[in-house]
Amino acid sequence: MDADAIVVGSGPNGLVAAVTLARAGRRVLLLEAADGFGGGLRSRELTLPGRVHDVGATVMAMALASPAIRGLELKGVEFVHPPVAAAHPLDDRPAVLVHRDARRTAEGLGRDARAWLATAGAAARAGFPLVELLLKPLGPWEAGLRTFVEGARFGLAAALSATTFARRAFRTVEARALIAGMAAHSVRDLRAPITAGYGLMLASLAHLVGWPLARGGSQMLADALVAELRSLGGEAVTGHRVRHLAELSAPIVVLDVSPRHLLAMADLPAGYRRRLSRFRYGPGVFKMDWALDGPVPWRDPAVAGAGTVHLGGTLEEIALSEAEMAAGRHSPRPYVLAVQPYAADPTRGGHTLWAYCHVPSGSTVDMTDAIETQIERYAPGFRDRVLARHVMFPADLEAANPNLVGGDITGGLMSLVQFLRRPVWSPAPWRTPLPGVFLCSASTPPGPSVHGMGGWQAARLALRTSSLKR
Ligand SMILES: Cc1cc2nc3c(=O)[nH]c(=O)nc-3n(C[C@H](O)[C@H](O)[C@H](O)COP(=O)(O)OP(=O)(O)OC[C@H]3O[C@@H](n4cnc5c(N)ncnc54)[C@H](O)[C@@H]3O)c2cc1C
């Protein structure tokens, strides 16, 4: 194919870039290294035949909130909601439940009900305009003045560390634990700045759009994007790893790759090369999937209805385990992020469980026992339900997707510096110094998650600035 645009990598950002370019009338060729499309959206039979497991992303809150994905109005993708968005079991009291309804959630937080509504609730009430402001940190915004005021209010709390915010805003064990579990999605020491922001953003999304899953597996979203690309005349190829930009000839090249690989695959000017080399990767994850012969036997039956379950106990305990991980150690009681797809989606071939814990980059320590012990702590008898298990060390994750450097699922450390400089400090960080070449991966703003915004921004920039001839 004589392409006007070549997209390298088919993660959500690459796919959204490809579809955006194709919808603008460009002939697009998409090249994917793996044997299937989707990057972090892949689903596979990891345990037993017929059991569908999401290899990477499973919770689609960002996808549902994202202007880039919502705007595409894709056919064949159904987001299904569990009865409860998320649960946070505790040892000595009922689990904390996050409902779609902020008021109902607040009622479960006792003395912190009003504080919850004034923080996570207020961000949710600010609605899609605030999400748009957060997902398009460098514009273009359609936000009005009210949204900027809400954004500033959100920003004051968001800039804090999760530990400081939790202690200032809340008094109860329940609310503090809840925000710690949300903030820990950032894979950071919870004493670090802006970790409160990640927690608040995720909590508010639970109220605004819910924390749904894609019916049939996350792969359905990737497949729908590939189908859309092909319906627009685009071509998509798997099993094609691009090793050097010299292999590609098109006026527009959009790279859904990591900065480390961009450095290896392009002859870049020395200044940009130096700036890109400063980019830092975050810790890794140890991922597990199980085929079960029935639902997880939670001690608190209310947890059964939750799509996502945060395991790790109180704020203090989660903060300690994340601090250990950030310091390069393995917590014996790690924070575990678990998802039970069967709570929302009966089409995954039976009861399955998806979970991971955070580990130092490239760790080779087997966390199976530590993770299962945390699950047993809140669900005695869990191990008796296991028919088969599948584990992925950080190196396995990276072997399946080169963007997961050292098992880093966030595409680069989620620090304050790298919130502002991702991967370089620039008003248009998707642009590279090479004419017509753009970067769109999770290592560009707004960072990780299934929102496709990096791809959308890179494609729009490419359409605005590139001529058709290279
Ligand atoms: C275990 C795990 C759990 C997660 N959970 C969630 C979740 O529940 N919700 C959520 O929103 N997000 C989640 N994420 C994060 C989310 O998956 C990522 O942020 C998102 O997929 C990043 O999208 P991307 O397009 O930047 O790149 P990726 O999805 O990483 O895809 C990059 C693609 O590019 C290909 N590629 C790279 N280099 C080349 C090359 N040189 N040539 C050809 N192809 C190449 C790769 O093979 C890969 O397919 C999770 C991630 C992981 C790994």
Side-chain angles (χ1 to χ4, degrees):
M1 179 194 210
D2 193 11
D4 300 324
I6 298 177
V7 177
V8 177
S10 70
N13 285 311
L15 287 168
V16 167
V19 169
T20 307
L21 290 163
R23 283 193 174 184
R26 301 297 187 271
R27 285 167 301 164
V28 179
L29 172 63
L30 173 72
L31 301 173
E32 166 56 53
D35 60 3
F37 297 110
L41 290 173
R42 296 179 73 189
S43 307
R44 289 286 176 277
E45 291 180 354
L46 295 176
T47 54
L48 300 176
R51 304 267 176 152
V52 179
H53 300 272
D54 290 331
V55 181
T58 194
V59 177
M60 294 290 126
M62 282 288 191
L64 204 50
S66 161
I69 293 181
R70 268 188 300 129
L72 291 177
E73 291 174 8
L74 293 168
K75 293 181 206 87
V77 181
E78 190 187 343
F79 292 114
V80 284
H81 292 265
V84 177
H88 191 122
L90 292 163
D91 290 315
D92 56 351
R93 58 193 81 201
V96 192
L97 303 180
V98 181
H99 300 280
R100 182 78 180 271
D101 181 0
R103 288 198 173 279
R104 201 168 156 207
T105 305
E107 279 163 19
L109 295 174
R111 289 183 298 150
D112 279 326
R114 285 179 60 178
W116 185 263
L117 291 173
T119 52
R125 282 195 302 283
F128 287 113
L130 178 61
V131 173
E132 182 181 85
L133 197 63
L134 297 172
L135 286 182
K136 289 192 213 166
L138 304 166
W141 307 297
E142 280 149 34
L145 181 63
R146 189 177 153 252
T147 306
F148 281 103
V149 173
E150 295 284 359
R153 213 160 79 101
F154 177 85
L156 286 176
L160 298 173
S161 72
T163 48
T164 301
F165 171 75
R167 291 188 183 116
R168 275 195 199 166
F170 303 124
R171 287 171 293 169
T172 62
V173 169
E174 286 88 346
R176 288 179 174 180
L178 187 55
I179 205 70
M182 298 274 172
H185 283 243
S186 62
V187 202
R188 291 236 58 205
D189 186 329
L190 297 187
R191 296 169 300 181
I194 72 169
T195 46
Y198 295 120
L200 277 172
M201 167 115 180
L202 288 175
S204 68
L205 283 183
H207 300 319
L208 183 64
V209 293
W211 280 15
L213 277 72
R215 187 177 169 86
S218 302
Q219 185 74 50
M220 301 298 279
L221 178 56
D223 291 350
L225 285 158
V226 173
E228 174 70 6
L229 173 64
R230 287 180 170 150
S231 77
L232 295 163
E235 196 178 317
V237 177
T238 55
H240 187 127
R241 178 154 187 179
V242 175
R243 300 201 177 270
H244 201 279
L245 283 193
E247 296 166 35
L248 311 175
S249 173
I252 294 173
V253 172
V254 180
L255 302 168
D256 189 4
V257 309
S258 185
R260 179 174 292 184
H261 299 114
L262 176 56
L263 281 166
M265 70 200 284
D267 301 320
L268 298 162
Y272 185 74
R273 180 166 280 279
R274 211 171 28 250
R275 290 160 72 203
L276 214 52
S277 324
R278 290 195 201 113
F279 191 71
R280 285 179 62 205
Y281 290 93
V285 310
F286 183 92
K287 164 93 189 315
M288 291 192 73
D289 291 275
W290 297 264
L292 306 173
D293 68 0
V296 179
W298 300 108
R299 186 183 296 119
D300 181 341
V303 182
T308 302
V309 188
H310 294 154
L311 303 166
T314 60
L315 162 70
E316 289 71 23
E317 202 186 326
I318 294 176
L320 179 65
S321 82
E322 295 301 88
E324 293 243 42
M325 170 279 299
R329 294 187 291 271
H330 297 80
S331 169
R333 279 153 75 97
Y335 161 76
V336 175
L337 212 161
V339 174
Q340 31 191 18
Y342 56 84
D345 182 6
T347 69
R348 308 264 178 132
H351 292 88
T352 61
L353 189 70
W354 171 112
Y356 62 76
C357 75
H358 304 147
V359 291
S361 175
S363 162
T364 53
V365 173
D366 188 343
M367 297 298 283
T368 302
D369 193 50
I371 289 179
E372 292 192 346
T373 301
Q374 283 290 57
I375 301 173
E376 281 272 343
R377 176 175 161 192
Y378 302 102
F382 165 72
R383 284 192 177 98
D384 300 335
R385 290 271 156 95
V386 176
L387 298 174
R389 55 173 67 74
H390 180 269
V391 306
M392 290 181 95
F393 288 76
D396 300 323
L397 288 164
E398 189 173 348
N401 177 353
N403 286 20
L404 308 178
V405 176
D408 174 6
I409 69 168
T410 58
L413 188 72
M414 301 280 279
S415 62
L416 174 59
V417 169
Q418 292 203 157
F419 175 71
L420 303 168
R421 194 187 72 194
R422 197 167 183 95
V424 293
W425 174 250
S426 161
W430 307 276
R431 195 199 301 254
T432 76
L434 304 178
V437 178
F438 301 85
L439 188 64
C440 76
S441 68
S443 307
T444 66
S449 276
V450 178
H451 44 58
M453 291 302 296
W456 182 83
Q457 295 273 26
R460 281 171 50 105
L461 200 56
L463 289 168
R464 270 210 313 278
T465 58
S466 303
S467 66
L468 270 180
K469 292 274 163 282
R470 200 172 177 191

